[in-house]
Amino acid sequence: MLVLPDELTHATAPACCRMLAQALRSDPSAQAVADASALRVFDSSALAVLLECRREALALGKSFAVANLQPRLRALATLYGVGELLPSAT
């Protein structure tokens, strides 16, 4: 499970992206799940990080889903037209 931090903004996105990409590469499982339950402070950069995680996971042959996506971030993803790229984990 990829755990998002409590704050994910433009200032923290590059470091978070590197950390999550490293975790993806070292995890042998076939499914990548990003857990957004801790996420409290975010901007649109959080979407960019999740989309980059998705891209990296797919490049590694893994499926990708997001668990516990905050309703405001889900609404933002829908507004930007990328909601379907961030499926909910079951």
Side-chain angles (χ1 to χ4, degrees):
M1 175 113 15
L2 306 168
V3 180
L4 297 181
D6 64 339
E7 182 175 327
L8 185 45
T9 61
H10 181 73
T12 60
C16 184
C17 227
R18 285 190 301 273
M19 175 196 68
L20 294 172
Q22 182 179 11
L24 271 169
R25 287 186 221 110
S26 65
D27 183 4
S29 65
Q31 183 180 29
V33 177
D35 180 7
S37 60
L39 195 58
R40 298 289 176 255
V41 177
F42 58 86
D43 60 19
S44 60
S45 298
L47 289 178
V49 168
L50 287 170
L51 291 171
E52 179 59 21
C53 282
R54 178 186 181 275
R55 187 200 65 74
E56 183 75 26
L58 295 178
L60 293 168
K62 301 176 184 223
S63 62
F64 181 76
V66 182
N68 306 306
L69 192 61
Q70 305 297 333
R72 289 185 312 130
L73 192 53
R74 173 67 63 198
L76 193 59
T78 301
L79 177 68
Y80 288 161
V82 297
E84 69 278 356
L85 299 177
L86 303 173
S88 295
T90 54

